[in-house]
């Protein structure tokens, strides 16, 4: 069970995000209390929700994680009583009732959630708690009602903030709710006098000199109307003197009180082309992580990243300690990192190697690239939502490690985090300026046609509803290897890829990370638009031969080619646990899996710690069951995952249990009554 997040409810949560280099924010002189937000504005209503609903939501989340559905049900009723205008109480109560088989009561609550603004149809369709309702005709009616639902905060009429200088303010008067994403949305109107007469760049370094030359020739688009969104309180702020045409987003006090200005950009949508960053990380507790790992930690987050990617919004975040040589914070006899702990790779953002401030070189290079596009090229890309896929291709192709076009089709060009020393801003602006409206790169889009489907409770063991699918988005598909089988097979299609000039496409598939001998890609048609992937189970290994950095992830890249340009990559990734050892027979049959608890660091969001050993039994080559060992105590299971007790077969479910606030939850086995 998961707490469904209704529109903008992320603003109700308080997440501790620290400056990722460990510095304390500068303390200002005491200020008078900030004025209260207008209770009739969107920000005022959110402030009220945060005060009333956040404590109940936090408690509900804990109860659901711990499998305490009785207490969760009472909290749902309390949410409905205290914040009846919000949909979460109704939605989660409907989920609990559906799991109990009380279909009539479940639909009644789910209809109420739609009536109160729950409009996330994709979440409803994917929510495993509602699987038992799919065959009921009322489920189609629920989807219809949710599609037509008016978001909880309605469609407020706003007044665009008129931008007359280099600052665009997020205020109560220009913020509404974006129906497409469920996030907040700003409106701006640009009226900067003679903005196009301002110099594009202030630097006379090679890239800056080229921009000024092209501006004089009238062939560079510049930054008029582009927005820069700093999300760390100006801790790692782009130097305003470098790009005089660029506009900075600023936040009013009511917006800051809600945290709209801070951390991952998963709270508000800004119009037009946006470049942003946040040099922060979650540094404490069992769920520590960098912003990139947090941003793509589930289907919802990855889908939002894809939306930003195809709506001209790109953000850069430091990887902090998520991508450094070492294991469990050690490197030989010295302090080290944890390896590459990202469960997935995506083209949706830029992760900079290191901590605070390491994002700056990327921001400057990307800002210069934006300005270098020819005006007609930039407009065509912006209208198509293809600015960032094009910038990502240029950025990766121009990296100093990429010497040839062939290098672009290898892992050298597509690490999870990028070294700032390898950025070549001059090469990037030259590549951007060389593009013409009829020579643009394509956009590759992929989807799963067919795949193996391990069964929870039989092939792997996790809380109800868990699958191997981490997320599915059109440019990144991520899987978590949970099942016991030694191989995975998928058929992936790239047939939905597009070229802005309708040129025919061919496709290249490449193993970017992982063991090539155990990662087989078989194209299924002439143009390579479909391929079968066969991946054999792989453990931790260097990301490339001779590298100190290790990873538990396999990356397969997919590239569209229109005869002149490659696309930015799409990724298919598989991630295995660093806290398991497995033994397979020569024919691939699983013999033994040992789960080692917290021996090595593994993200508890991805793999819940558990401590036992399963030894598998066969008769005539057919699985008959397994013995589960905890120390010298054992349990017997049949091939369907039923616990054997004498002549009885007992159904087992698996739940996450919190031991303490400072430890990750652990997986426990519970006998169904």
């Amino acid at each position: 069970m998961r707490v469904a997040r209704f529109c903008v409810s992320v603003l109700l949560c308080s997440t501790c995000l620290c400056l990722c280099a460990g510095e304390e924010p500068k303390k200002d002189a005491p200020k008078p209390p900030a004025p209260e937000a207008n209770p009739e504005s969107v920000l005022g209503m959110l402030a009220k929700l945060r005060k009333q609903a956040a404590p109940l939501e936090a408690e509900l989340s804990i109860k659901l994680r711990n499998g305490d559905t009785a207490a969760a049900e009472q909290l749902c009723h309390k949410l409905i009583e205290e914040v009846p205008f919000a949909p979460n109480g109704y939605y989660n109560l409907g989920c609990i009732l559906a799991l109990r088989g009380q279909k009539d009561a479940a639909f009644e609550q789910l209809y109420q959630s739609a009536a109160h603004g729950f409009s996330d149809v994709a979440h409803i369709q994917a929510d495993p708690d509602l699987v038992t309702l799919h065959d009921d005709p009322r489920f189609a009616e629920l989807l219809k009602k949710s599609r037509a639902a008016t978001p909880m905060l309605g469609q407020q009429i706003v007044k665009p903030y008129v931008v007359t200088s280099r600052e665009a303010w997020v205020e109560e008067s220009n913020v509404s709710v974006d129906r497409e994403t469920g996030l907040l949305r700003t409106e701006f109107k640009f009226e900067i006098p003679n903005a196009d007469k301002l110099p594009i760049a202030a630097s006379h370094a090679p890239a800056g000199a080229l921009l000024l030359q092209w501006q004089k020739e009238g062939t560079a688009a510049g930054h008029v109307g582009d927005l820069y969104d700093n999300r760390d309180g100006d801790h790692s702020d782009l130097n305003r003197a470098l790009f005089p045409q660029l506009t900075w987003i600023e936040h009013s006090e009511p917006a800051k009180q809600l945290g709209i200005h801070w951390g991952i950009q998963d709270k508000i949508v800004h119009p037009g082309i946006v470049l942003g960053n946040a040099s922060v990380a979650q540094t404490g507790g069992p769920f520590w992580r960098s912003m990139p790992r947090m941003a793509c930690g589930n289907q919802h987050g990855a889908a939002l990243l894809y939306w930003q990617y195809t709506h001209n919004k790109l953000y850069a975040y430091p990887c902090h300690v998520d991508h450094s040589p070492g294991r469990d914070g050690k490197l030989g006899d010295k302090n080290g990192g944890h390896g590459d702990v990202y469960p997935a790779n995506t083209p949706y953002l830029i992760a900079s190697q290191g901590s605070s401030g390491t994002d700056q070189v990327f921001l400057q290079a990307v800002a210069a690239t934006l300005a270098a596009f020819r005006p007609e090229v930039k407009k065509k890309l912006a209208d198509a939502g293809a600015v960032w896929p094009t910038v990502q291709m240029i950025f990766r192709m121009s990296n100093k490690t990429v010497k040839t076009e062939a290098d672009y089709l290898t892992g050298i060009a597509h690490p999870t985090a990028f070294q700032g020393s390898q950025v070549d801003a001059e090469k990037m602006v030259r590549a951007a300026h060389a593009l013409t409206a009829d020579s643009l790169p394509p956009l590759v889009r992929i989807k799963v046609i067919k795949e193996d489907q391990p069964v929870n409770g039989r092939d792997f063991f996790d809380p109800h509803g868990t699958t191997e699918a981490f997320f599915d988005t059109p440019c990144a598909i991520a899987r978590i290897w949970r099942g016991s089988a030694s191989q995975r097979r998928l058929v992936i299609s790239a047939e939905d890829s597009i070229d802005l000039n309708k040129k025919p496409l061919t496709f290249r598939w490449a193993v970017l990370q992982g063991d090539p001998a155990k990662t087989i890609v078989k194209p299924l048609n002439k143009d390579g638009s479909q391929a079968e992937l066969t991946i054999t189970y792989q453990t931790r290994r260097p990301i490339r031969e001779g590298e100190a950095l290790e990873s538990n992830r396999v990356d397969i890249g997919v590239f569209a080619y229109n005869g002149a340009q490659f696309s930015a990559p799409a990724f298919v990734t598989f991630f295995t646990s660093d806290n398991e050892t497995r033994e397979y027979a020569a024919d691939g049959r699983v013999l033994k899996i040992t789960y080692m608890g917290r021996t090595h660091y593994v993200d508890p969001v991805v793999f819940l710690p558990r401590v036992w050993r399963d030894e598998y039994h066969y008769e005539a080559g057919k699985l008959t069951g397994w013995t589960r060992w905890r120390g010298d105590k054992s349990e017997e299971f049949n091939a369907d995952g039923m616990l054997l007790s004498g002549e009885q077969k007992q159904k087992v479910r698996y739940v996450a249990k919190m031991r303490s606030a400072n430890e990750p939850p652990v997986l426990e086995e519970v006998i169904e009554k």
Side-chain angles (χ1 to χ4, degrees):
M1 172 75 76
R2 296 165 293 175
V3 175
R5 310 310 273 166
F6 54 81
C7 66
V8 300
S9 68
V10 68
L11 302 180
L12 305 183
C13 300
S14 176
T15 303
C16 177
L17 301 179
C18 302
L19 301 176
C20 65
E23 312 94 351
E24 289 294 324
K26 295 178 181 178
K27 298 185 183 297
D28 297 326
K31 296 180 180 178
E36 291 288 330
N38 177 358
E40 301 302 317
S41 71
V42 171
L43 299 188
M45 294 175 70
L46 281 171
K48 183 179 179 181
L49 274 171
R50 187 174 194 173
K51 182 177 180 181
Q52 291 180 303
L56 293 175
E57 286 245 341
E59 189 176 356
L60 175 60
S61 180
I62 292 172
K63 297 300 182 185
L64 291 175
R65 260 201 317 264
N66 289 341
D68 190 348
T69 55
E73 181 179 5
Q74 293 304 312
L75 285 167
C76 287
H77 284 294
K78 194 170 182 180
L79 266 172
I80 293 169
E81 179 182 346
E82 297 194 12
V83 280
F85 51 88
N88 252 20
Y90 304 102
Y91 182 86
N92 284 290
L93 181 55
C95 289
I96 292 170
L97 295 169
L99 285 172
R100 291 180 183 163
Q102 298 172 248
K103 290 188 176 183
D104 293 343
F107 276 115
E108 181 180 344
Q109 296 301 323
L110 293 168
Y111 286 162
Q112 284 291 327
S113 74
H116 289 83
F118 194 89
S119 57
D120 192 345
V121 173
H123 182 96
I124 296 170
Q125 291 174 312
D127 195 331
D129 302 324
L130 305 181
V131 168
T132 58
L133 306 183
H134 286 190
D135 294 335
D136 193 301
R138 289 172 291 182
F139 191 74
E141 181 65 18
L142 170 63
L143 298 179
K144 181 179 177 181
K145 288 178 180 291
S146 297
R147 286 191 185 96
T150 299
M152 178 184 64
L153 300 182
Q155 294 294 311
Q156 286 77 5
I157 298 175
V158 299
K159 182 180 179 181
Y161 178 86
V162 179
V163 181
T164 58
S165 62
R166 298 187 62 196
E167 295 180 346
W169 282 83
V170 178
E171 298 184 328
E172 294 179 84
S173 59
N174 70 325
V175 175
S176 63
V177 176
D178 181 69
R179 185 175 179 83
E180 183 179 0
T181 63
L183 306 182
L184 298 179
R185 181 179 183 85
T186 54
E187 298 293 341
F188 300 122
K189 183 179 180 182
F190 286 85
E191 294 184 359
I192 304 175
N194 299 313
D196 59 338
K197 300 296 190 292
L198 294 169
I200 289 178
S203 170
H204 289 277
L210 288 170
L211 292 175
L212 293 172
Q213 175 189 328
W214 294 329
Q215 181 180 22
K216 186 176 180 180
E217 297 169 356
T219 59
H223 287 131
V224 176
D226 295 349
L227 295 165
Y228 167 65
D229 182 19
N230 175 266
R231 304 192 55 76
D232 56 29
D234 298 334
H235 170 63
S236 180
D237 195 25
L238 185 61
N239 185 343
R240 297 191 183 213
L242 293 177
F243 302 104
Q245 291 184 355
L246 194 58
T247 296
W248 265 244
I249 293 172
E250 300 289 352
H251 297 81
S252 65
E253 282 301 319
K256 288 182 178 180
Q257 288 173 6
L258 287 167
I260 293 169
H261 68 305
W262 192 265
I264 295 172
Q265 181 50 293
D266 59 359
K267 304 171 181 67
I268 192 165
V269 173
H270 300 301
I273 296 173
V274 183
L275 171 65
N277 71 305
S279 268
V280 295
Q282 183 162 310
T283 58
F287 299 100
W288 59 268
R289 63 203 55 242
S290 65
M291 294 297 96
R293 184 153 55 121
M294 185 180 292
C296 62
N298 53 40
Q299 175 65 39
H300 175 78
L304 177 57
L305 287 177
Y306 172 72
W307 186 93
Q308 292 173 344
Y309 183 63
T310 53
H311 287 75
N312 306 324
K313 330 287 179 199
L314 183 105
Y315 287 83
Y317 307 100
C319 75
H320 194 37
V321 295
D322 283 355
H323 191 262
S324 301
R327 194 179 192 185
D328 307 320
K330 300 175 182 178
L331 184 62
D333 294 329
K334 300 179 181 179
N335 291 334
H338 297 267
D340 176 3
V341 298
Y342 289 110
N345 200 350
T346 83
Y348 301 146
L349 46 74
I350 292 176
S352 62
Q353 188 68 49
S355 295
S356 287
T358 57
D359 45 12
Q360 283 300 308
V361 64
F362 300 93
L363 294 173
Q364 293 173 23
V366 170
T369 303
L370 277 179
F373 286 123
R374 295 174 183 271
E376 67 277 12
V377 168
K378 189 174 182 181
K379 183 180 187 306
K380 187 170 183 176
L381 292 174
D383 290 346
V387 170
W388 291 130
T390 302
V391 170
Q392 278 280 29
M393 182 279 290
I394 291 170
F395 162 64
R396 292 161 185 262
M397 187 73 82
S398 301
N399 199 287
K400 292 177 183 177
T401 60
V402 179
K403 307 296 185 184
T404 66
E405 192 175 82
D407 286 342
Y408 182 71
L409 302 178
T410 71
I412 292 173
H414 310 288
T416 326
F418 291 85
Q419 292 280 358
S421 61
Q422 300 302 320
V423 174
D424 191 332
E426 180 183 358
K427 190 175 179 181
M428 288 175 66
V429 298
R430 287 187 183 278
H433 196 67
L435 290 178
T436 60
D438 60 355
S439 67
L440 301 176
L443 174 65
V444 63
R445 296 192 295 198
I446 59 176
K447 61 184 178 183
V448 177
I449 300 298
K450 186 188 301 183
E451 70 176 307
D452 296 339
Q453 297 285 357
V455 176
N456 196 351
R458 184 193 72 189
D459 304 313
F460 67 95
F461 316 101
D462 270 282
H464 174 82
T466 304
T467 71
E468 287 200 331
F470 194 48
F471 57 73
D472 284 80
T473 62
C475 299
I477 293 167
R479 295 293 181 263
I480 307 301
W481 199 306
R482 304 186 193 279
S484 58
S486 62
Q487 284 191 334
R488 293 288 179 275
R489 288 184 176 86
L490 300 88
V491 176
I492 304 292
S493 170
E495 292 169 320
D496 291 340
S497 302
I498 59 174
D499 186 84
L500 298 186
N501 293 301
K502 303 187 185 309
K503 295 180 179 179
L505 298 175
T506 56
F507 299 86
R508 309 288 179 87
W509 302 72
V511 179
L512 305 177
Q513 184 168 290
D515 186 345
K518 295 182 178 180
T519 310
I520 308 302
V521 179
K522 179 184 176 183
L524 298 178
N525 50 11
K526 186 176 180 181
D527 64 5
S529 59
Q530 282 195 13
E532 180 186 61
L533 312 182
T534 303
I535 302 100
T536 301
Y537 181 80
Q538 299 174 35
T539 56
R540 187 181 181 98
R541 58 180 282 125
I543 60 170
R544 285 182 298 278
E545 187 176 351
E547 292 274 358
L549 181 67
E550 296 179 335
S551 177
N552 283 72
R553 197 184 65 251
V554 175
D555 287 352
I556 298 168
V558 190
F559 304 85
Y561 183 65
N562 63 11
Q565 304 281 357
F566 281 104
S567 68
F571 294 99
V572 180
T573 65
F574 269 87
F575 190 67
T576 62
S577 173
D578 200 33
N579 257 340
E580 298 174 5
T581 60
R582 297 185 174 206
E583 293 181 21
Y584 290 102
D587 61 3
R589 289 179 300 155
V590 62
L591 301 177
K592 182 192 302 183
I593 301 180
T594 302
Y595 302 94
M596 301 183 293
R598 293 194 293 270
T599 301
H600 299 300
Y601 173 75
V602 174
D603 188 345
V605 171
V606 180
F607 289 106
L608 284 172
R610 73 283 308 265
V611 183
W612 67 68
R613 182 177 76 256
D614 289 337
E615 297 181 355
Y616 292 83
H617 312 303
Y618 299 85
E619 287 185 7
K622 184 178 180 181
L623 179 69
T624 57
W626 59 87
T627 303
R628 176 162 296 165
W629 291 92
R630 293 182 178 87
D632 58 357
K633 296 182 179 180
S634 65
E635 297 172 317
E636 297 296 328
F637 291 79
N638 68 11
D640 293 321
M642 302 286 285
L643 177 63
L644 304 180
S645 179
E647 298 297 319
Q648 292 185 328
K649 299 178 182 178
Q650 295 176 297
K651 188 174 182 180
V652 173
R653 64 185 175 95
Y654 298 86
V655 298
K657 291 288 187 181
M658 292 293 293
R659 297 283 177 86
S660 73
N662 296 319
E663 292 182 316
V666 296
L667 191 71
E668 292 193 0
E669 176 186 308
V670 177
I671 297 174
E672 292 274 12
K673 295 182 179 180

